[in-house]
Amino acid sequence: MRRAEEHVQEFTYDALPARIVFGRGAARSRLAAEVERLGATRLLLVASDRDAERVRALVAPLRERVAATFTAVREHVPVATAEAARALATSVDADAVLAVGGGSTTGAAKAVALTHRIPVVAVPTTYSGSEVTAVWGLTDAGRKTTGTDPAVLPRVVVYDPELTASLPRELAVASGFNALAHGVEAFWAPRRNPVSTAVAEEGIAAIGAGLRGDDPADLLRGAWLTASAFAVAGAGLHHKLCHVLGGTYDLPHARTHAVVLPHVLAFNAPGAPDAVARVARALGVTDAVRGLRALADATGVPRGLRELGLAEDRIEEAAALTEPAVPDDNPVPVGGGALRRLVRAAWGGEDT
């Protein structure tokens, strides 16, 4: 008879140190106290001009602590954007960064933290998940570089469903699918473990419920959980491909993830039966691939990358740029033209 301990799976789990404040109205009622708790007195506020009025109201209690505001936020964080934000932080001797916005805003704040080693307070207004990862990304000359550094992990995250309730439906869906991608990827990513897998499944279930019911609280909770799982498990095929598509061809971040996810799940499904079973269970469907595609179709996600502006003659280049970055233990081999076929399927919207 085999001993019970022989069945115990060995794994490593790095719990990331972040303070999470979650609740309706939390940005209005608790943000100032959280900044004061950090002892920050010279904040660099990072926020897009598109949300200026709401941001102004949120930070009003902190106006004496805001030393400067950076609004030149751009997707994929071009190096020029990062350098401008860093220069402003230096000029005002910022001792913390307050990011109010989506993933691009958080990305710019992380770029400052990476070089200045000052804490970030994040107030997400989308479901990007970047606020609970130690991953940074910069784009230079059409190439996106990513890395991991504990200094960029926001010290405090204030989740307030009131801030995401006003998202246009199309953006909410795209951002929600981006969050789903974090959870699905966590099932086969290089540092996957039983803890991240359980968190990812719970997050996918919450996001699925939120997308069907249009509930920002479910979506925000799910986005937090799936990003937390992704932060520990790491990036796999899906994110490696989307980083190339976004950084090289300037495709919209969240919508690219939304379009690509069903195709990557279909591609990896034959080699990832546990992932497929967990996705199906979390979404309450019998077939994970069909269920995810049906959810995408029902919520208006475009079927193919060509609808986002990717030219057909870029398919081979995108596959070639992605292939070296795909982890060796991806559930299905990507060589021999397989990755090119995946990108073509994602471009045209056909099944893999």
Side-chain angles (χ1 to χ4, degrees):
M1 185 174 179
R2 298 179 68 185
R3 294 180 303 170
E5 56 263 31
E6 292 180 6
H7 296 280
V8 176
Q9 177 184 347
E10 293 185 2
F11 64 92
T12 299
Y13 177 78
D14 291 314
L16 299 181
R19 178 176 170 87
I20 306 297
V21 177
F22 194 109
R24 295 186 188 277
R28 288 183 287 103
S29 63
R30 299 184 62 181
L31 176 59
E34 292 300 324
V35 171
E36 185 173 354
R37 183 175 173 275
L38 279 181
T41 60
R42 299 191 59 77
L43 291 170
L44 173 65
L45 172 63
V46 180
S48 168
D49 272 333
R50 291 192 300 268
D51 214 15
E53 186 176 341
R54 180 166 62 174
V55 171
R56 199 160 39 244
L58 286 177
V59 302
L62 296 165
R63 56 183 173 272
E64 300 300 324
R65 296 175 187 253
V66 176
T69 302
F70 181 81
T71 60
V73 174
R74 283 192 58 196
E75 275 200 318
H76 310 300
V77 195
V79 167
T81 296
E83 290 176 346
R86 290 165 175 168
L88 184 56
T90 298
S91 71
V92 299
D93 193 25
D95 61 2
V97 188
L98 172 59
V100 183
S104 300
T105 301
T106 305
K110 285 182 170 184
V112 174
L114 183 65
T115 54
H116 286 57
R117 318 309 278 185
I118 56 178
V120 176
V121 177
V123 184
T125 60
T126 69
Y127 309 116
S128 80
S130 177
E131 67 280 351
V132 289
T133 79
V135 178
W136 56 266
L138 297 173
T139 303
D140 188 21
R143 295 291 183 268
K144 186 167 186 174
T145 301
T146 62
T148 303
D149 191 312
V152 309
L153 176 70
R155 192 80 59 84
V156 181
V157 183
V158 178
Y159 283 114
D160 185 346
E162 289 183 358
L163 300 183
T164 57
S166 60
L167 277 175
R169 178 62 176 167
E170 182 184 7
L171 179 55
V173 167
S175 190
F177 266 83
N178 180 27
L180 271 179
H182 291 140
V184 174
E185 186 98 297
F187 293 143
W188 57 62
R191 299 188 303 277
R192 60 193 178 274
N193 59 76
V195 180
S196 61
T197 295
V199 171
E201 185 173 342
E202 176 67 20
I204 290 171
I207 294 168
L211 286 171
R212 294 187 183 102
D214 199 21
D215 185 338
D218 276 344
L219 284 166
L220 201 55
R221 181 172 62 87
W224 163 33
L225 293 174
T226 56
S228 297
F230 172 79
V232 172
L237 168 60
H238 174 88
H239 281 79
K240 298 302 183 183
L241 175 55
C242 287
H243 285 165
V244 167
L245 293 170
T248 306
Y249 310 111
D250 200 29
L251 297 188
H253 178 82
R255 295 180 73 202
T256 299
H257 280 271
V259 170
V260 168
L261 180 59
H263 298 282
V264 172
L265 179 60
F267 179 86
N268 271 348
D274 183 63
V276 168
R278 286 178 178 275
V279 172
R281 184 166 60 200
L283 293 179
V285 297
T286 55
D287 185 310
V289 174
R290 289 185 179 180
L292 186 60
R293 283 204 172 109
L295 181 60
D297 289 342
T299 51
V301 173
R303 268 276 180 150
L305 292 168
R306 62 181 172 184
E307 296 181 54
L308 303 187
L310 184 68
E312 186 174 9
D313 61 8
R314 297 296 193 180
I315 291 173
E316 189 157 346
E317 179 187 46
L321 290 172
T322 303
E323 188 170 340
V326 178
D328 293 336
D329 65 347
N330 188 67
V332 173
V334 298
L339 186 54
R340 184 176 63 251
R341 290 190 290 275
L342 166 61
V343 178
R344 175 164 287 282
W347 178 82
E350 67 240 31
D351 293 349
T352 51

